[in-house]
Amino acid sequence: MRNALAAAVLLSLSLSPLTAHAQTAMERMLPGRAAPNSFADLVDGLLPAVVNISSTQKIKPSAENMPELPQFPPGSPFEDFFNDFMQKHGQGMQGMPVMPTASLGSGFIVDAEKGYVITNNHVVADADEVRVTLHDDTTLPATVLGRDEKVDIALLQVKTDKKLTAVKFGDSGKLRVGDWVLAIGNPFGLGGTVTAGIVSAESRDINAGPYDDFIQTDASINRGNSGGPMFNTDGEVIGINTAIFSPSGGSVGIGFAVPSNLAKPVIDQLVKYGHTRRGWMGVRIQLVTPDIADSLKLDGAKGALIASVTPTGPAELAGLKAGDVILEFDGKPINAMRTLPRAVAETDIGKKVKVTYWREGKKADTQVTIGELEKAEKSGLFSEDESDDQSTDQADRPGVKVGSVGMTVDTITPQDRTNYDIPDDVQGVLVENVDPVSEAAEKGLTPGDVIVEINKERVTDTAKVPGLIDAARKNGQGSVLLLVNRGGDVRFVALKLKNDSVKPGAPTR
């Protein structure tokens, strides 16, 4: 009895603090976080602002989509019949439109007076006709005022005497994982459909574009929801439903929305200019891996590594070079590579921005005057770095094996340039062979790659390659940094170096 009483006392003592703690946690969670009894009142005010989008594209017959005619033996009466038919009617058939292709999606009204409607660009891309169906089933023709492929947003306009209902954007920066959200759209062409869920994750990069920063949700999003709004519990648009991850094609609880804080500036530019006007630095960047950070003597894998700079672009004019690591932009730390493109894009054109970068083991600052991305694209300024003028007329030089990293390099011959599509202005040494079980293979090097630099030193002589790599080892570097050109795409690759303490010829155990 005494033992039973003692056990009960111990049990109560152990549970009491835990229960009190759990109760306190629940009390902190409940205000504004509890699941509502119903979303009906909220939905009543939102549904009239959500529209269905349908677009059609008329395809004219061509040699590729014309049906293949049957083949008949020479001299067959059917051959003469079909030849006569095509001579009489073939030309007319080529000019006739065929059944138009259709695309269904969703959208929402953001300006009731001007009739502005927002949807995804991929819903109306290449469309000949776009129609908007309101909540009361009224269908109106729509005009595409502006589109942006990079964030996948399109601005439409409808004109009507009907009174329209608009919704407002909220601050997606205030979202937290676990917050309730509503998705309203047109899945599978069924019409206005409401689903609810929570924010599953933030800042997702799904390789859909250069400015990926998606909100992930488990609210059911299916085909046809594209372009529809995602609302918070205040009835504000905090995202534009854009993509799903699904092996089956239907919702599996992983949907993605463009956050309102990314979409709103783009929409404002489409309204004002009919196109976007993004900031531009003129650099190609890549991820700073731990190996690359080690080779650059950088404290941690952070920042954005400049793989190349555009000649006469803002970055080059500011003195930035390939191999520099951008650590801060306009006073904001660049902890991850993917944060830089968006930071630059959202900067006012013509603004002078302080950029902090890492070069040769120390920090430095410069001022970059931001250019306009769209003008640079139109003028064709996106070209590779200028190469040096050293000659590569060494076609008889044999390949050089660099066993420490598992590759063989050789001089670039005219035949190599043809076989691997290497431009004449690309100078370096050719990766001729890669050991499949090696550091070079693990880091993705393949035959046909051109090594332009080793540890920031230009290289065109294959005989110098082993010496440069050995020098890095002797200097205590854990890895060696290569600048590699593959099909015009320039990137840095860091290869780990083995610490060979055994002398050549010495026995190993």
Side-chain angles (χ1 to χ4, degrees), residues 454-485:
I454 298 178
N455 273 356
K456 304 293 188 67
E457 183 173 334
R458 291 275 181 173
V459 57
T460 56
D461 187 346
T462 57
K464 292 183 179 180
V465 174
L468 290 171
I469 294 177
D470 287 340
R473 182 189 293 107
K474 292 176 182 178
N475 289 336
Q477 292 181 215
S479 56
V480 62
L481 191 65
L482 311 181
L483 181 61
V484 178
N485 187 305

Side-chain angles (χ1 to χ4, degrees), residues 1 4 16 46 70 73 101-102 180 187 214 279 287 355 366 382 402 418 443 476:
M1 182 72 179
S16 296
L46 299 178
T101 60
W180 281 99
F214 288 100
L287 184 71
V355 175
T366 188
F382 296 111
V402 189
T418 300
K443 293 303 173 61

Side-chain angles (χ1 to χ4, degrees), residues 57-322:
Q57 179 184 6
K58 295 179 181 179
I59 302 177
K60 294 183 179 180
S62 63
E64 288 76 15
N65 56 38
M66 284 292 288
E68 185 176 352
L69 295 178
Q71 300 296 316
F72 298 100
S76 168
F78 291 102
E79 181 184 33
D80 294 336
F81 172 79
F82 276 101
N83 287 340
D84 291 342
F85 178 84
M86 289 303 298
Q87 287 179 2
K88 293 179 180 179
H89 305 286
Q91 290 301 110
M93 290 177 65
Q94 290 290 334
M96 291 175 59
V98 297
M99 185 68 68
T101 60
S103 174
L104 294 174
S106 307
F108 55 100
I109 301 168
V110 293
D111 190 319
E113 296 296 324
K114 297 181 180 178
Y116 288 159
V117 176
I118 301 301
T119 187
N120 281 147
N121 174 64
H122 74 258
V123 173
V124 298
D126 302 319
D128 292 314
E129 296 178 357
V130 179
R131 293 179 297 277
V132 169
T133 301
L134 304 178
H135 183 56
D136 64 359
D137 291 331
T138 301
T139 299
L140 304 168
T143 303
V144 180
L145 298 183
R147 301 186 296 116
D148 178 50
E149 295 180 358
K150 293 181 175 66
V151 180
D152 198 6
I153 288 176
L155 171 68
L156 314 180
Q157 185 177 37
V158 295
K159 295 182 179 180
T160 179
D161 294 332
K162 289 179 173 289
K163 184 178 180 180
L164 301 178
T165 300
V167 287
K168 296 181 179 180
F169 282 100
D171 183 358
S172 58
K174 294 181 179 179
L175 278 181
R176 299 174 62 197
V177 174
D179 281 350
W180 281 99
V181 290
L182 293 176
I184 304 181
N186 178 32
F188 302 110
L190 294 172
T193 299
V194 183
T195 56
I198 63 169
V199 175
S200 303
E202 297 179 283
S203 300
R204 287 296 198 207
D205 184 353
I206 61 173
N207 296 316
Y211 310 113
D212 278 15
D213 192 28
F214 288 100
I215 302 166
Q216 181 181 325
T217 180
D218 67 348
S220 293
I221 294 175
N222 291 282
R223 293 179 182 177
N225 273 108
S226 290
M230 176 186 287
F231 294 101
N232 59 18
T233 52
D234 292 326
E236 299 170 328
V237 179
I238 45 81
I240 301 173
N241 301 318
T242 299
I244 62 172
F245 174 82
S246 172
S248 63
S251 174
V252 294
I254 302 179
F256 302 98
V258 177
S260 59
N261 289 359
L262 176 60
K264 188 64 166 60
V266 173
I267 294 169
D268 290 342
Q269 289 183 356
L270 294 180
V271 170
K272 188 173 182 179
Y273 306 110
H275 59 84
T276 55
R277 297 183 73 233
R278 291 190 170 93
W280 175 65
M281 273 185 66
V283 295
R284 296 183 64 183
I285 58 174
Q286 69 178 82
L287 184 71
V288 178
T289 65
D291 290 340
I292 290 176
D294 177 70
S295 67
L296 295 175
K297 299 179 180 179
L298 181 62
D299 181 22
K302 57 186 177 182
L305 175 63
I306 299 178
S308 65
V309 295
T310 303
T312 72
E316 185 183 70
L317 295 177
L320 292 172
K321 300 178 181 179

